[in-house]
Amino acid sequence: MVSLLFALLSLLLYVFAPVDYSLAYNWIILSLFVINFVRVARGKSYKLLSYTTVFFVVFFFVNFAYPVFIYPYDPLFILQFRYFFSPEYINSGSALCLLAFSLYLCGYELRAKPYPNYNFIIRQRVYELFHAVTFCVLLYNLYLVIPQWGVNYGDASVPFQSASLFVMLECTLTTIICFTKKDALRGNVNAFFKVLRFHIVVSIIFCITFLILGSREYVLVLSLLYALLFTLFVRPIGFIKLFIALIVALTFFYFISERRNNADTDGGLFSRKAWQAESVSGAWNLATDLIINNRNVYVGMQYANDPAHGFTYGVNYIPNLLSPIPFLPSLFTYTFLGVPPVECTSQQILTNYTRDELGHRDLYYELGTNCVVDIYMGFGVCGVVVMFFLLGFFVKKLEMSLNGNVIAFSVYAILFTTVIFFCRSSFFGPFRNMIWAFLICCLMFRMYRKVV
C-alpha cells in the first residue's frame, strides 16, 4: 500500500513537473527516492547486497546526481553535457526516473510465489564440456586482446561479443557449482576458494588481460559475481565493508579510465579538470561514466515528443529481444526495416539525433542510452510504468527462489552482475545472457523433478 502511494505521488510529480528548472523540485524528488528505498531496505528479510541495493546506488548516479549536485553550479562540469539538450526536460526527466524506480519497488514488494524447487542431477560430461568451452573462449579472448597491449584504448578493438560470452559462462557455471555444494560452503572461506579454484584463476587471467588493454566492464561484472556468491553461500558482507568497497571500486575504475585516456593525474584523482568550476567537488569525476547517461533521459524525451519522430513503438527493443538467436537481429532488421540492427537501438537513435538535428556533426562516438528513456522512447510513460513494475516483480520472484531453484539462481546472477550497465544502457540488454544461462542449465541437468 505504501509503495503504491509513492508511485502515485511520483506520477503526480511527473504530470505537474514545472518547465523551468527548479533545484527545490529536484531535491524533493531525490528525497522521495531515498526515503522509498530506505523504507524497503529496513525490512527484516531484505539482504543488503542484492540487486535492489546496487540498482538504487547506480540509479542515483545515473539519474539524480547531475540535476541536484552539478547542473545548478556548473552545467558543463562533464564534457558530454556540452552537447545540446533542453533544460525544460530536467524536472520532468527526474520525475520520470523517480516514477520508474517507484514502480520497480511496487513490483518488488508485491506478494509473489517463488518458482518451484527441484531436485536435479548434473550431466557431468556436459558440465565438463562447458568447462572446456569456457577455457577455449578465454584463450580466444587472450588471442584477440594481448596483441593490442600498448594501443590507445580508443584505437583498440575490444572483443565485446566473445568477452560477454566468457562472462556469461562464468556466471552460469559458478552459480551451479556453488549451488550444488552450498552446504559445504556455508561459513567456510577455504572451501569457497577451493571449489571455485578453476574459475577464479581463469577470471583473474581474463581481468588482468582486459585491464591492461584499458577495458573495465567485464572486470566489474566478475567482481560483482564473486561478491554475490561469497555473500549468499559463505557469509554476508556488512554495510561498512560494502561502503568501503564501493569507494575503492569507484576510485580504481576511474584511475583506469584516466590512464587509458592518457589524462594528467598529477593533481590527484579528486582534483578538478581545467574547465570545471570550483563550486562543484572534483570527487564527482569518479562517477563520470555513470552521470553522463543522465543527458540521454532529457534528449530521449525530447526526441519522443518531437512531432518529426515520436515514439518508436518497440522498434528499439528488437535488436536485444532477438539477440538470443545468432544472426536473427540482422536478418530481421535488414529484411523488414532495411537497416542494420544497431540503427534501431536507442543509443544509436539518440547519437544520430544529437549529431544530425541538435547541431553536433563533429560527434564521432556513441553517447549511450538510459534504461528509463529506452522504455519511454518505445511506449511513453505507460511503458515505463508497466516494464519497471514487471522488473521488480521478476527480481522478487527470483530472490524468493534462490535457495531451491538453481535455474532461478543462475538467471539472478546474470541480472545482478549486469545491473550497473543496465542502468546506463538498454532495458533489455541482459536478455540474451539470461536466455543462454537458462538454456545451459537445461542442457546440464539430466533430470529435475519437483520436491514434494
Side-chain angles (χ1 to χ4, degrees):
M1 183 64 180
V2 178
S3 60
L4 182 60
L5 291 176
F6 271 93
L8 292 174
L9 182 57
S10 302
L11 181 60
L12 290 175
L13 285 170
Y14 171 77
V15 172
F16 296 104
V19 174
D20 295 331
Y21 170 80
S22 170
L23 177 59
Y25 191 85
N26 280 274
W27 265 112
I28 292 172
I29 289 174
L30 177 60
S31 300
L32 291 173
F33 170 71
V34 174
I35 292 170
N36 200 10
F37 168 75
V38 171
R39 177 187 62 83
V40 174
R42 292 182 62 186
K44 293 182 180 179
S45 61
Y46 187 83
K47 290 182 172 59
L48 185 59
L49 184 61
S50 64
Y51 181 91
T52 303
T53 300
V54 182
F55 186 40
F56 165 78
V57 173
V58 179
F59 206 78
F60 161 74
F61 285 111
V62 172
N63 297 305
F64 299 116
Y66 179 77
V68 175
F69 299 103
I70 298 177
Y71 177 79
Y73 312 105
D74 185 5
L76 302 182
F77 182 82
I78 297 173
L79 279 180
Q80 282 76 5
F81 283 88
R82 74 183 185 274
Y83 299 118
F84 176 81
F85 66 92
S86 179
E88 68 182 41
Y89 287 100
I90 294 181
N91 293 334
S92 56
S94 297
L96 180 67
C97 294
L98 175 65
L99 178 64
F101 189 78
S102 299
L103 264 297
Y104 168 84
L105 290 184
C106 274
Y108 186 80
E109 290 193 289
L110 193 68
R111 290 186 179 182
K113 294 181 179 180
Y115 292 106
N117 294 347
Y118 289 95
N119 284 333
F120 56 89
I121 300 175
I122 293 182
R123 298 176 184 268
Q124 195 62 33
R125 290 184 178 179
V126 177
Y127 185 72
E128 293 172 358
L129 173 62
F130 276 108
H131 266 82
V133 170
T134 302
F135 188 70
C136 291
V137 174
L138 171 66
L139 293 179
Y140 179 69
N141 279 285
L142 298 182
Y143 169 76
L144 295 177
V145 172
I146 291 178
Q148 300 187 75
W149 283 355
V151 176
N152 289 333
Y153 181 75
D155 299 325
S157 178
V158 182
F160 292 108
Q161 297 297 328
S162 59
S164 177
L165 176 61
F166 174 82
V167 171
M168 184 277 300
L169 288 169
E170 275 297 293
C171 286
T172 307
L173 296 179
T174 52
T175 53
I176 289 174
I177 192 171
C178 286
F179 196 92
T180 57
K181 299 180 181 296
K182 57 184 177 181
D183 293 333
L185 297 179
R186 185 63 58 195
N188 192 332
V189 178
N190 292 331
F192 177 79
F193 287 102
K194 183 178 180 180
V195 165
L196 296 177
R197 181 171 55 243
F198 169 81
H199 297 282
I200 292 174
V201 170
V202 296
S203 295
I204 290 175
I205 294 173
F206 179 86
C207 290
I208 292 175
T209 303
F210 274 75
L211 278 176
I212 294 176
L213 183 64
S215 177
R216 305 163 298 166
E217 176 178 349
Y218 304 108
V219 178
L220 183 55
V221 170
L222 290 172
S223 299
L224 286 173
L225 170 65
Y226 287 105
L228 175 69
L229 295 177
F230 186 88
T231 298
L232 295 184
F233 289 109
V234 183
R235 58 170 177 259
I237 301 175
F239 173 78
I240 300 298
K241 292 181 179 179
L242 277 179
F243 182 77
I244 294 174
L246 173 64
I247 300 301
V248 171
L250 281 174
T251 305
F252 174 73
F253 287 111
Y254 178 67
F255 173 76
I256 297 297
S257 176
E258 293 293 276
R259 297 304 299 171
R260 78 182 186 187
N261 294 324
N262 297 317
D264 183 11
T265 57
D266 292 340
L269 287 176
F270 296 94
S271 62
R272 300 180 188 87
K273 308 298 183 183
W275 65 86
Q276 294 175 338
E278 295 182 359
S279 53
V280 181
S281 171
W284 287 109
N285 285 320
L286 297 179
T288 295
D289 286 351
L290 298 176
I291 298 173
I292 58 176
N293 295 87
N294 199 170
R295 176 187 172 275
N296 296 322
V297 175
Y298 315 141
V299 177
M301 295 176 70
Q302 181 178 347
Y303 177 91
N305 295 336
D306 188 337
H309 299 287
F311 299 119
T312 67
Y313 298 104
V315 170
N316 57 308
Y317 309 155
I318 290 174
N320 285 306
L321 289 178
L322 300 183
S323 62
I325 302 176
F327 308 112
L328 183 58
S330 297
L331 179 62
F332 184 91
T333 57
Y334 275 116
T335 302
F336 295 100
L337 302 175
V339 295
V342 67
E343 292 296 324
C344 300
T345 61
S346 59
Q347 58 261 34
Q348 193 62 48
I349 292 174
L350 295 177
T351 300
N352 292 340
Y353 186 61
T354 299
R355 181 186 296 123
D356 300 332
E357 299 184 45
L358 299 184
H360 297 284
R361 296 192 178 276
D362 58 330
L363 179 61
Y364 61 92
Y365 56 89
E366 284 192 8
L367 293 173
T369 185
N370 180 293
C371 65
V372 177
V373 85
D374 183 66
I375 293 296
Y376 181 86
M377 289 174 66
F379 295 100
V381 177
C382 294
V384 171
V385 169
V386 172
M387 295 310 302
F388 278 87
F389 175 84
L390 292 177
L391 174 64
F393 184 71
F394 181 58
V395 169
K396 184 60 175 287
K397 282 184 70 72
L398 290 177
E399 289 185 351
M400 294 178 65
S401 310
L402 295 182
N403 290 329
N405 191 309
V406 66
I407 298 179
F409 198 106
S410 298
V411 173
Y412 182 79
I414 298 293
L415 272 180
F416 178 83
T417 54
T418 56
V419 61
I420 294 178
F421 305 99
F422 166 79
C423 291
R424 47 175 290 192
S425 61
S426 170
F427 185 90
F428 294 101
F431 185 69
R432 180 184 64 182
N433 284 353
M434 289 167 53
I435 296 298
W436 284 3
F438 173 81
L439 294 176
I440 288 174
C441 289
C442 292
L443 290 173
M444 202 170 292
F445 303 142
R446 183 181 307 167
M447 57 173 291
Y448 48 92
R449 55 186 175 84
K450 188 174 181 180
V451 176
V452 179

